[in-house]
Amino acid sequence: MIDWKENGTPVSREFNDIYFSPENGLEETKHVFLKGNRLEERLSSPETQHVFSILELGFGTGLNFLAAWQLWRNCKNKSSLQVLRFTSFEKYPLEREDIRKAISVFPELSELLDLFLEKYKLLIPGCNTFLFEKENLILDLWIGDAIQLLPETSGKFDAFFLDGFAPSKNPELWGENISLQLKRLSNKNASFATFTVARSVKDCLSSAGFSLSKIPGYGRKREMLVGVYESEPELDLNLIPFLRRIGSNQIPKKATVLGAGLAGASIARALAWRGIQVEVWDDHNALRASSVPMAVSHPHITKGETPTSLWTLRCLGNSIRRYSDLLPKDSYQISGTLQLSGEDLPWIRLEEGVKAHSLDKELAELRTELGENYPEESKGIFYPSGFWTDTPVLTEKLLNHPNIILKQGKVGSIFFEKEEWALFSENKETLNKTEVLILANSFGIESLLQGLWEESPFSLRSVRGQLEILEDSNIYSEKDPIHVGEKYLTPSKNGIRVNGSTFNEFDLDPNAKSKDREEILEYSQNTFLGVHWEQIKVRSDFVGIRSQTPDRFPIIGPIHSPEPFRKIYSGMGLPKNRKKEFPFLEPQKNLFVFGGLGSRGVLTSLLGGEILAEILLNEPLSIENSLYSSLHPSRFLYRKIRNQE
């Protein structure tokens, strides 16, 4: 992957080209990309702008990212900007130690390097998100071929770092396919800078609408190229019109979130750290799943690349990269998860799934023999980064931000009038008025929408789950992995383990049932044979009600009123309408939803909250366009129309 010259300069084996100038790579970056894009001036600007977004081709050693971060640190206190986003593409990601060695020659970057490398793990093909909340900084690192990944990228960018290997060594990264994607992703007056002045590069960028200028290069390079996209930004032309992002540049000063569970706390935090005041209204429902102690999380691997597996893999890395900043050490543990194959999880699915997703042993390891601690001939998969979380602590820490105000009260109805959302109690008393309203109140979402429109654009199912809180006197059980089969068992934390869970859509009794307790314990005792069950006793039962969608994917985004949606998009799936252009239907103004997290709420809530903030504030998304289509709230209205045609 990487070789080293005698002077310490890193060289790519794949392209036989250096990663940065042997004279001084950091000064080269500052000259070519920071000065070439006038970043110091633009990041320090008092102009009202919420986010500044940079897109880079060729992450390499991360030098350009670290240099931009260093500049952002120096500028952000005098800037109107709230967020710096850095999106980068890399086909051949380097190992952590190679990055450390390459950047170690620039001691002024050592602090930022340590902060970055602490989170540089669990990389998967596609988008990997790194959130540095205290720095007001997001890195989206896309792993794979930029030609394939750029069409999956959404949003608009203000500056481009074109830093692939030389066009003669890597021509694919400088061709027309790339320049047309840059055009699609350009904000008005977006800039670019690059070290090369190759004719082919100039022609492609010019034809894409960029004005070009040659300026002095760095070191031995006599010239370099800079330019500006001076045309109006292209409209989002997603083939499914309701998925198009037609964002507003108006940033709300205040938002109201209904629900203080995992969904509500996550979106509240995502907005709060971006400088937006958030009021969170909650009715303290004791049955919500966000009260579950020691909730377990691991990826859901499918036979091929499906939205389910891609979503859970992205959420896994994102959560673990954030936990050390959010949570005290005793409120979560990355203990690893051993999941057994079986009737609902065939071995062939695991075998082919690991291969299809290119998962290395940092993420997943197939195990054909599990030994005497499990039933004879058991097989399974070990996820080294499987973890448990103290859910109430997670929600508490997410809500602990100076820009979040928590209020108690049950909202009975909502109404939009004069560009504001009004919230009413069940007795029709006005509780609050707000510019932006986010529904994250689990099973209460549907009834509010039915009251608004007489129907909801989606359905949410309530699912009852019971688990057992166990006392375990064996101190060595703290080192156990999470055991998962048809039931699960956590390691011990201060002598306590959690054993769960049932899944019942038809019986929503909030009281614990002895038959459920017996079902959980009987399965676990006959399956997790390495556990000293004679030292374990049941301390208490816990019953929670999960809210989930029919396809078990959360709903994240703006909400369409069902009647106009049907009127505009009926017939969209008919063969005769394949070439017909359907108009963009504006969703209900300033109304958003985050719900239906189901049994994966702890795993998916953090990334889900960030994605909803990105949609609301018109930032680039931290997931693929195709994956977001599986999360959009209007997918159910669309499917219903298609099924009727």
Side-chain angles (χ1 to χ4, degrees), residues 290-302:
S290 298
S291 303
V292 172
M294 295 181 76
V296 301
S297 298
H298 59 83
H300 185 93
I301 301 301
T302 52

Side-chain angles (χ1 to χ4, degrees), residues 302-571:
T302 52
K303 203 170 181 178
E305 288 190 342
T306 65
T308 300
S309 56
L310 295 175
W311 172 239
T312 57
L313 282 165
R314 272 143 191 60
C315 290
L316 177 83
N318 177 78
S319 295
I320 289 178
R321 286 190 283 269
R322 285 194 66 186
Y323 268 19
S324 60
D325 297 332
L326 271 176
L327 295 174
K329 289 183 179 179
D330 63 351
S331 62
Y332 73 99
Q333 183 182 354
I334 303 171
S335 51
T337 297
L338 185 59
Q339 185 176 26
L340 303 180
S341 63
E343 187 175 342
D344 293 333
L345 186 65
W347 176 251
I348 187 68
R349 175 175 133 187
L350 292 176
E351 267 191 319
E352 295 190 11
V354 168
K355 188 181 300 182
H357 293 84
S358 304
L359 301 181
D360 60 23
K361 290 189 176 181
E362 184 186 21
L363 283 158
E365 182 181 343
L366 293 169
R367 295 196 174 174
T368 55
E369 296 182 7
L370 298 181
E372 59 185 15
N373 289 337
Y374 298 91
E376 194 174 344
E377 298 184 2
S378 292
K379 299 179 183 178
I381 186 168
F382 181 64
Y383 299 107
S385 295
F387 61 93
W388 62 258
T389 311
D390 191 332
T391 317
V393 175
L394 175 58
T395 54
E396 176 190 343
K397 294 299 182 183
L398 286 169
L399 292 167
N400 183 19
H401 192 282
N403 287 336
I404 297 175
I405 298 173
L406 189 59
K407 295 198 170 186
Q408 187 171 353
K410 184 174 177 62
V411 176
S413 59
I414 58 175
F415 188 72
F416 188 67
E417 186 178 32
K418 296 180 180 178
E419 301 298 303
E420 280 189 319
W421 284 98
L423 314 182
F424 301 97
S425 70
E426 292 180 309
N427 297 325
K428 305 301 180 185
E429 297 172 347
T430 302
L431 297 174
N432 190 26
K433 291 190 176 181
T434 184
E435 180 184 356
V436 172
L437 179 61
I438 299 161
L439 307 181
N441 51 327
S442 191
F443 0 92
I445 295 171
E446 263 193 292
S447 62
L448 291 175
L449 293 176
Q450 286 166 350
L452 182 67
W453 293 318
E454 296 185 349
E455 64 175 313
S456 173
F458 44 76
S459 64
L460 292 170
R461 300 170 180 171
S462 295
V463 180
R464 179 187 182 276
Q466 179 171 321
L467 53 83
E468 307 304 316
I469 313 297
L470 309 179
E471 292 183 4
D472 186 353
S473 59
N474 181 4
I475 61 172
Y476 298 105
S477 62
E478 294 183 3
K479 298 180 180 180
D480 284 359
I482 300 165
H483 305 284
V484 176
E486 294 176 20
K487 310 298 179 190
Y488 69 83
L489 178 67
T490 70
S492 173
K493 173 200 171 187
N494 300 327
I496 299 297
R497 305 179 83 149
V498 174
N499 193 192
S501 167
T502 60
F503 184 95
N504 196 324
E505 295 182 59
F506 307 105
D507 180 359
L508 302 180
D509 187 347
N511 300 303
K513 297 177 180 290
S514 58
K515 70 178 183 65
D516 287 353
R517 183 187 313 126
E518 290 165 6
E519 174 191 325
I520 293 168
L521 292 172
E522 181 181 5
Y523 173 86
S524 301
Q525 290 168 2
N526 291 331
T527 306
F528 309 137
L529 306 180
V531 176
H532 296 282
W533 289 101
E534 71 280 0
Q535 299 180 19
I536 292 176
K537 63 179 182 179
V538 176
R539 170 187 277 194
S540 60
D541 311 287
F542 176 90
V543 175
I545 307 295
R546 312 180 188 105
S547 171
Q548 70 176 36
T549 61
D551 61 8
R552 300 193 183 186
F553 257 69
I555 39 175
I556 304 173
I559 309 175
H560 286 94
S561 175
E563 183 57 34
F565 189 96
R566 283 191 294 267
K567 188 174 181 180
I568 287 182
Y569 295 125
S570 287

Side-chain angles (χ1 to χ4, degrees), residues 217-280:
Y218 176 79
R220 300 176 187 175
K221 289 188 179 289
R222 188 163 54 91
E223 294 176 316
M224 56 174 275
L225 203 61
V226 297
V228 175
Y229 184 76
E230 296 176 336
S231 304
E232 288 297 318
E234 287 197 344
L235 294 176
D236 183 350
L237 296 178
N238 194 305
L239 293 176
I240 303 177
F242 65 84
L243 288 174
R244 293 173 185 166
R245 297 183 64 199
I246 312 295
S248 167
N249 291 324
Q250 291 192 344
I251 304 302
K253 295 179 180 178
K254 176 185 170 185
T256 297
V257 175
L258 303 189
L262 282 168
S266 295
I267 178 56
R269 182 59 171 245
L271 294 173
W273 77 256
R274 287 169 166 84
I276 294 171
Q277 299 293 316
V278 186
E279 276 191 4
V280 179

